[in-house]
Amino acid sequence: MPPKKRNSGTTPNKELKPSVKSASPDKKESPELSVKKHREKDAKFVTLCKSLHVTDPVCDHAWMLWKTVQDSMDEAADSQRRLWGACLYVAVTELDAACFTLTQVQKAVDLNVKQFLALVRKMDVNLDTISTRVDSVLTRLEKKYDVTLALYQRFDKTCKQIFALDSDGKEVETIRSCWTMFLLAKGKALQMEDDLVISFQLLLCVLELFIKRCPPDLLQPLYQSAISKAQSPPTRTSRRNQSKAKPRPPEPELDMQLLETLCKENECNLDEVKDVYQNSFSAFLNSVDLSRAPDFLQVNDFSKQYEEHYLKSRDFDGRLFLDGDETLLAPKLEIMQVERTPKKNLPEEDPVLIPPQTPVKAAMDSIQQLRVDLTSSSDQPSANLATYFKNCTVDPTVEVLKRVETLGQVFGQRFAQAVGPHCMVLGRQRFTLGTRMYYRVMESMLKSEEKRLSVQNFSKLLNDSTFHTSLLACALEVIMATYGGSCFKTGAYSHGGGGDQAETDLSFPWILDVFKLAAFDFYKVIESFIKAEPTLSKDIVKHLESCEHLIMKSIAWRTGSPLFELLRQMHEEGPAEQVEAPAAFNQPLQHNHTAADLYLSPMRPGHRILPPESSATPNSQPACQAPTQPAPQGAGQTPRHSRSNSLSLFYKKLYRLAYMRLKVLCSYLLSTRPHEELEPIMWTLFQHTLQHEYELMRDRHLDQLMMSAMYAICKVKNVDLRFKTIVTAYKNMPNTNQETFKHVLISEGHYDSIIVFYNQVFMQKLKTNILQYASTRPPTLSPIPQIPRSPYKFPSSPLRVPGSNNVYISPLKSPRMSPGIMTPRSRMLVSIGESFGLSNRFQKINQMVNSSDRSLKRSLDLGSTPKPLKRLRFDVDGQDEADGSKTSGDSTLIQKLAEMNSTRSRMQEQKMKEDAESRKE
């Protein structure tokens, strides 16, 4: 622990010096820098090291890094000091030396957080310049900074609504005390300081405490009236000294009226904030012993305690937000973009472009919408679902309820371990929401299967434990992703390397580890889940699709995955068996598989025997029931083995994902080279590896094979493309992680860079096949997969009205959802059943529908005169003239429709006449 005696007013560098002795990982090493040992180094570099109180090993390591990158970094001489600071930060991170904090080195080199982190990442000019440990620290630090910045901006805005200006400036001291206490509470009560939602809920708890302890004259009227009379703070503090002789009364209980006001003003769920207060925040209050604190808390009460936490964490000093310190504040343009909040339009105002939402508001809106969607759902099986259970040959009700209870206990414990020891109640709340969605989606799936198969007995599916666990895990992943927010997704699902995720990371695939669920089994339910739950937002659908991609790229290929057993069994059937015929690549991918098809498909190909003319689709054999006897064989017919639906669909999607990523990487690197010739060859080698050498994917990543295939073909085709160039381009691709090329499995327990993997593993395994591409008779090229659009449609997206260019309709998901959230960029919003305003707005709608003019001004102003245009406009009906003049009458489209209707009417009349004449004859 850092020493208790600290002076909060001293500079950070002076504060840190005594802490090095107690926190240095090497106690035998002197914390003082020996100048004599570093005479060969630049004197200014040594001076910087002394100012940051680094040790000799850190100084040597940082200098070695500097010598490595100085020739590759294109930096001016005046930024040399900044590069030294970045090297020192990398050195203390890799050596785990407690020499200085991030804020201290920032001040030494005069950079803000974003600039400094970007500089450190820029240093990675070679594959091994920065370790995966440093990458992980930078990612976590950046996310923590983004969350803290968003919280402070919301805190600053909220305080202006709570506290009144005081001539003595007392509100400033109150705000400083409140923010410092929040930083301390976040650091002590939460293990995940980068969790936006729980941190914001904790911030409201801190505000509740300060408001009820604050003198009424420092509060705005809304919060003066919000405080319960029984909780009103004392107006006098003259008896403060009496607390030394007489113990202070117990801390007043939570003021529910005040907390309800705070939650309402900040659009936060009251029950969740109450649970955070009663569990995590109350435990924190007991730990800091507020019984000795005065009625009005001072900043010094928490500053020293927070300083110890800050020095121990060695990141940024959150107190500097209060001072507007340049090391913490983002560029002004970025702050303005974040601080702007959507404004509601007045009834008679013309709609305006609404700026992006703040991270906190976006998270609160997503959670509110999720809870609204699940309001009508129960955490117990519905009557319809219970009927499905009873119709089964073996009633699964008892096992389903028992499984949910068991997994709920496991989830709550692991959630508390990750977030904080007092957060088990929050975990149970989220599990309850997940259970509601689990039962609702299950019922929707069964209804679809009943309609598709015309059966009601789903005994085999509903007694499949893996199906239920996967469905529940998918529901919980939706809940966790919603609470995790879509604003800070750094590293959320890019863990594709060989390293393990930290326990405090709740992002996917954390839920798989909690339930001990195989990723290959989880993937089977994703597509059916999305189709069965139409209320999922676009962000959540994209998140689940990203989870599916992550499974196909790496997680499903981990040792112990059932995928390898399926592949082994398939190859045992003989060389004629193929998991997916290459000839089918250029055919559209059919997304008509259901969860029942995938979970009930044979685990071992060949166990079910089907007649040659029969179909393996569920239409001929219901997916709910397994065949009890082999189908009879006709004379002279040979038995045909059914193929695993789950494996076949997995490889169909895998091939298309693999080619899509290869195509993107080729577009980065081969735009000026014979791109059209090399890409199909690279794909052929890539596809051959996935199909015939799938063991190379074990505990590895799809992109590792992709880059190796690209490099191999370039070598045999004499194309000068270095691995360093490939990796540099790869880092710019979406959903990538540096562990993918820095931490590659070479042999059991041994990892190295992707270059070592290529030379020692990939090339050795595929050398014969690779050299064939240099011969005069190369292998036949594999067909190019047809890349379809995402199979996951968004039913809530606005749809264009046929025959109109500027009118869209969108289903109303919830009556509580504000129109501004649904269509923030609409020209005019109409909500059926609500007050719409004056009648002239209906005339404007008619004008929008009938008019072909797409200009907002002209569509809303009936009397305006068209302005001349400088260029032709062929995209609007009736405006083909250079001056923008319109043809008289209706638009061309309407005229054509009228002509078509008239022609059709004449044809019908003519046919009726001919029929009448034929009957007469």
Side-chain angles (χ1 to χ4, degrees):
M1 291 291 293
K4 295 183 179 179
K5 294 182 179 181
R6 293 190 187 276
N7 182 4
S8 61
T10 58
T11 61
N13 289 341
K14 293 182 180 179
E15 297 163 353
L16 186 61
K17 188 174 181 178
S19 70
V20 175
K21 295 182 180 180
S22 58
S24 177
D26 189 356
K27 296 183 179 179
K28 296 181 181 180
E29 192 71 36
S30 173
E32 295 293 337
L33 190 70
S34 176
V35 180
K36 295 181 180 180
K37 294 182 180 180
H38 308 288
R39 290 178 178 176
E40 77 284 358
K41 300 180 178 67
D42 193 298
K44 294 181 179 179
F45 173 79
V46 177
T47 301
L48 177 62
C49 291
K50 288 189 65 176
S51 67
L52 293 173
H53 304 286
V54 304
T55 60
D56 290 328
V58 172
C59 181
D60 290 335
H61 190 62
W63 184 254
M64 180 183 65
L65 285 173
W66 159 246
K67 299 296 288 184
T68 302
V69 303
Q70 64 173 340
D71 296 333
S72 304
M73 297 291 288
D74 184 17
E75 296 290 338
D78 58 350
S79 63
Q80 189 178 66
R81 182 181 177 87
R82 294 178 174 178
L83 283 173
W84 287 342
C87 291
L88 286 168
Y89 182 79
V90 172
V92 298
T93 303
E94 291 182 340
L95 299 178
D96 197 21
C99 300
F100 53 81
T101 67
L102 174 65
T103 296
Q104 290 166 351
V105 70
Q106 282 181 255
K107 288 184 175 294
V109 300
D110 192 26
L111 288 174
N112 63 37
V113 172
K114 291 289 188 179
Q115 293 169 336
F116 186 81
L117 297 181
L119 180 60
V120 174
R121 289 193 172 103
K122 190 177 180 180
M123 285 174 50
D124 196 16
V125 291
N126 298 316
L127 298 181
D128 56 352
T129 304
I130 294 179
S131 65
T132 55
R133 173 187 174 89
V134 177
D135 289 333
S136 177
V137 170
L138 294 178
T139 299
R140 177 68 69 182
L141 186 61
E142 185 172 25
K143 183 177 180 183
K144 180 180 177 181
Y145 167 75
D146 289 337
V147 169
T148 309
L149 174 63
L151 290 170
Y152 176 74
Q153 291 169 341
R154 184 59 176 255
F155 170 80
D156 183 57
K157 178 181 177 181
T158 303
C159 285
K160 293 177 182 178
Q161 300 171 351
I162 295 175
F163 300 107
L165 296 178
D166 185 77
S167 57
D168 298 332
K170 292 182 180 180
E171 83 286 351
V172 176
E173 184 179 4
T174 303
I175 292 173
R176 296 187 70 90
S177 300
C178 186
W179 177 250
T180 307
M181 181 180 184
F182 164 69
L183 293 175
L184 179 62
K186 185 163 69 80
K188 285 196 169 187
L190 302 180
Q191 293 172 200
M192 292 180 57
E193 293 191 61
D194 55 1
D195 190 296
L196 177 67
V197 174
I198 299 180
S199 297
F200 181 63
Q201 292 169 344
L202 184 64
L203 178 59
L204 295 183
C205 296
V206 176
L207 286 169
E208 187 272 347
L209 178 67
F210 271 80
I211 291 173
K212 68 185 181 186
R213 282 173 166 243
C214 186
D217 56 344
L218 288 182
L219 297 177
Q220 297 285 2
L222 173 63
Y223 289 93
Q224 287 183 8
S225 59
I227 302 176
S228 303
K229 294 182 179 179
Q231 301 283 348
S232 297
T235 55
R236 296 186 304 168
T237 58
S238 59
R239 298 185 180 182
R240 180 179 301 176
N241 295 329
Q242 296 180 5
S243 61
K244 299 180 180 179
K246 184 184 297 184
R248 177 189 173 92
E251 180 68 22
E253 294 183 359
L254 172 63
D255 188 340
M256 286 301 301
Q257 180 177 327
L258 174 58
L259 192 65
E260 184 177 0
T261 302
L262 278 170
C263 292
K264 182 178 179 180
E265 291 296 311
N266 291 277
E267 300 177 302
C268 202
N269 183 264
L270 176 61
D271 293 333
E272 292 182 354
V273 179
K274 177 183 175 182
D275 288 330
V276 172
Y277 194 109
Q278 294 177 340
N279 294 280
S280 300
F281 189 57
S282 295
F284 162 75
L285 295 178
N286 294 332
S287 68
V288 296
D289 193 12
L290 280 183
S291 60
R292 299 179 183 178
D295 290 334
F296 188 69
L297 302 174
Q298 304 294 325
V299 67
N300 292 333
D301 296 331
F302 307 108
S303 186
K304 292 181 180 180
Q305 295 185 56
Y306 171 72
E307 193 163 317
E308 291 184 1
H309 171 75
Y310 150 66
L311 292 174
K312 186 178 179 180
S313 64
R314 305 203 299 268
D315 50 27
F316 55 87
D317 187 350
R319 295 170 298 183
L320 297 180
F321 279 112
L322 295 164
D323 303 323
D325 194 282
E326 293 183 355
T327 60
L328 285 187
L329 294 184
K332 289 202 169 184
L333 179 61
E334 182 178 342
I335 294 178
M336 290 176 62
Q337 291 289 336
V338 173
E339 284 182 343
R340 290 188 299 176
T341 307
K343 297 180 180 180
K344 296 181 179 179
N345 300 326
L346 296 177
E348 294 305 313
E349 285 185 343
D350 289 339
V352 296
L353 185 66
I354 299 180
Q357 290 179 308
T358 62
V360 174
K361 180 171 177 53
M364 294 301 106
D365 287 343
S366 298
I367 294 171
Q368 181 188 17
Q369 185 59 43
L370 173 70
R371 300 183 73 92
V372 168
D373 292 338
L374 295 176
T375 300
S376 59
S377 302
S378 173
D379 58 354
Q380 296 292 323
S382 65
N384 291 335
L385 199 54
T387 302
Y388 282 116
F389 290 168
K390 292 178 181 178
N391 289 335
C392 293
T393 306
V394 179
D395 192 335
T397 304
V398 176
E399 289 298 322
V400 168
L401 296 177
K402 183 179 178 181
R403 185 184 300 107
V404 169
E405 181 180 359
T406 302
L407 294 178
Q409 295 175 355
V410 174
F411 181 88
Q413 293 172 359
R414 292 291 296 273
F415 185 89
Q417 291 175 11
V419 180
H422 302 284
C423 295
M424 188 173 292
V425 176
L426 284 179
R428 286 199 295 264
Q429 285 184 345
R430 297 191 185 181
F431 185 83
T432 300
L433 292 175
T435 305
R436 292 179 179 179
M437 182 168 285
Y438 159 69
Y439 285 129
R440 186 165 81 172
V441 172
M442 189 194 309
E443 181 178 343
S444 177
M445 283 183 176
L446 294 177
K447 288 181 179 178
S448 298
E449 288 294 282
E450 180 182 5
K451 182 178 180 181
R452 185 172 70 100
L453 304 174
S454 300
V455 295
Q456 296 181 340
N457 186 350
F458 298 97
S459 184
K460 187 173 182 181
L461 177 66
L462 293 179
N463 282 280
D464 189 317
S465 176
T466 303
F467 163 71
H468 285 285
T469 305
S470 301
L471 188 61
L472 180 57
C474 193
L476 286 168
E477 182 61 30
V478 170
I479 304 301
M480 300 297 286
T482 303
Y483 274 84
S486 59
C487 301
F488 309 115
K489 288 184 178 179
T490 307
Y493 19 77
S494 58
H495 301 275
D500 295 330
Q501 282 183 265
E503 175 63 26
T504 56
D505 191 351
L506 298 181
S507 60
F508 188 80
W510 178 81
I511 190 64
L512 302 185
D513 182 55
V514 172
F515 287 172
K516 306 298 180 184
L517 181 64
F520 183 74
D521 291 326
F522 180 82
Y523 119 89
K524 300 175 187 177
V525 82
I526 294 177
E527 186 170 329
S528 294
F529 189 100
I530 294 174
K531 293 178 179 179
E533 184 53 56
T535 64
L536 296 178
S537 67
K538 188 177 296 187
D539 286 337
I540 293 300
V541 172
K542 290 181 178 179
H543 171 74
L544 291 178
E545 190 173 12
S546 298
C547 294
E548 184 181 66
H549 289 174
L550 183 58
I551 289 172
M552 292 188 290
K553 288 189 291 186
S554 63
I555 308 178
W557 300 98
R558 293 177 181 174
T559 298
S561 171
L563 175 61
F564 287 104
E565 179 64 16
L566 280 175
L567 288 169
R568 184 188 65 81
Q569 293 170 357
M570 181 204 67
H571 280 269
E572 284 181 354
E573 297 295 327
E577 283 290 329
Q578 294 189 28
V579 66
E580 177 63 16
F585 290 172
N586 53 9
Q587 297 176 3
L589 180 60
Q590 300 297 327
H591 296 280
N592 54 3
H593 297 276
T594 67
D597 297 338
L598 302 184
Y599 283 98
L600 299 183
S601 65
M603 286 301 294
R604 177 177 175 81
H607 271 201
R608 291 197 304 173
I609 302 176
L610 300 176
E613 299 302 323
S614 67
S615 173
T617 61
N619 292 327
S620 58
Q621 179 64 52
C624 57
Q625 295 293 323
T628 57
Q629 296 180 352
Q633 298 295 315
Q637 293 178 345
T638 57
R640 187 170 66 87
H641 301 292
S642 67
R643 180 176 299 162
S644 171
N645 287 332
S646 58
L647 182 60
S648 178
L649 180 62
F650 180 85
Y651 255 80
K652 285 180 180 179
K653 291 187 174 183
L654 174 68
Y655 283 150
R656 285 158 175 81
L657 175 64
Y659 175 72
M660 183 171 59
R661 294 187 67 77
L662 176 65
K663 186 177 180 65
V664 172
L665 188 58
C666 286
S667 67
Y668 291 169
L669 295 168
L670 303 174
S671 57
T672 59
R673 296 183 175 91
H675 181 194
E676 296 79 7
E677 298 178 6
L678 290 180
E679 181 186 297
I681 302 175
M682 293 174 181
W683 165 243
T684 302
L685 176 60
F686 192 13
Q687 184 271 327
H688 170 85
T689 308
L690 292 174
Q691 180 175 347
H692 299 287
E693 303 294 345
Y694 59 85
E695 277 292 335
L696 286 176
M697 281 293 298
R698 186 182 293 271
D699 295 324
R700 296 190 179 98
H701 195 286
L702 180 69
D703 293 345
Q704 294 165 358
L705 270 64
M706 174 186 69
M707 288 185 280
S708 297
M710 172 176 281
Y711 182 75
I713 296 302
C714 288
K715 289 286 287 184
V716 297
K717 293 296 184 180
N718 297 319
V719 176
D720 185 17
L721 185 64
R722 299 180 181 181
F723 235 126
K724 177 181 176 181
T725 307
I726 295 176
V727 168
T728 301
Y730 173 76
K731 290 192 293 186
N732 295 324
M733 288 181 62
N735 300 323
T736 59
N737 187 286
Q738 296 197 29
E739 281 192 355
T740 306
F741 55 84
K742 290 185 177 181
H743 196 76
V744 189
L745 178 66
I746 308 300
S747 59
E748 186 176 356
H750 174 54
Y751 292 82
D752 212 312
S753 70
I754 190 171
I755 297 178
V756 177
F757 164 74
Y758 175 83
N759 290 326
Q760 297 185 9
V761 182
F762 188 87
M763 184 62 182
Q764 301 303 320
K765 190 73 174 178
L766 293 163
K767 185 175 182 179
T768 302
N769 185 269
I770 292 172
L771 292 177
Q772 290 178 0
Y773 293 97
S775 66
T776 55
R777 299 182 63 182
T780 304
L781 296 178
S782 297
I784 301 299
Q786 180 176 349
I787 305 300
R789 293 184 179 181
S790 172
Y792 310 120
K793 299 179 180 179
F794 309 109
S796 59
S797 300
L799 301 176
R800 185 173 63 87
V801 176
S804 174
N805 289 325
N806 54 1
V807 179
Y808 292 79
I809 59 173
S810 179
L812 183 63
K813 293 176 62 177
S814 169
R816 296 178 58 184
M817 197 167 185
S818 68
I821 297 176
M822 287 195 305
T823 51
R825 293 172 176 82
S826 297
R827 298 180 178 180
M828 183 180 299
L829 181 70
V830 183
S831 183
I832 305 301
E834 297 181 4
S835 176
F836 184 59
L838 301 178
S839 59
N840 63 342
R841 303 203 70 184
F842 287 102
Q843 298 176 0
K844 293 180 180 180
I845 294 178
N846 291 334
Q847 173 72 9
M848 292 172 64
V849 173
N850 295 327
S851 174
S852 58
D853 190 354
R854 303 176 71 178
S855 170
L856 173 63
K857 180 178 179 180
R858 293 175 63 184
S859 65
L860 296 182
D861 188 359
L862 301 181
S864 61
T865 303
K867 295 182 178 180
L869 299 179
K870 296 182 179 180
R871 56 184 178 182
L872 296 176
R873 295 184 60 176
F874 295 105
D875 58 332
V876 181
D877 297 324
Q879 292 186 351
D880 293 345
E881 302 298 328
D883 61 353
S885 61
K886 295 182 62 176
T887 58
S888 60
D890 295 332
S891 68
T892 304
L893 175 62
I894 297 177
Q895 290 178 357
K896 290 181 178 180
L897 289 175
E899 293 174 0
M900 291 174 60
N901 290 330
S902 177
T903 303
R904 184 180 301 134
S905 299
R906 291 198 303 269
M907 292 176 62
Q908 290 176 348
E909 292 177 358
Q910 181 66 25
K911 189 175 185 301
M912 291 174 63
K913 290 180 179 179
E914 292 176 354
D915 292 341
E917 291 177 358
S918 62
R919 284 195 297 268
K920 290 180 180 179
E921 296 176 354

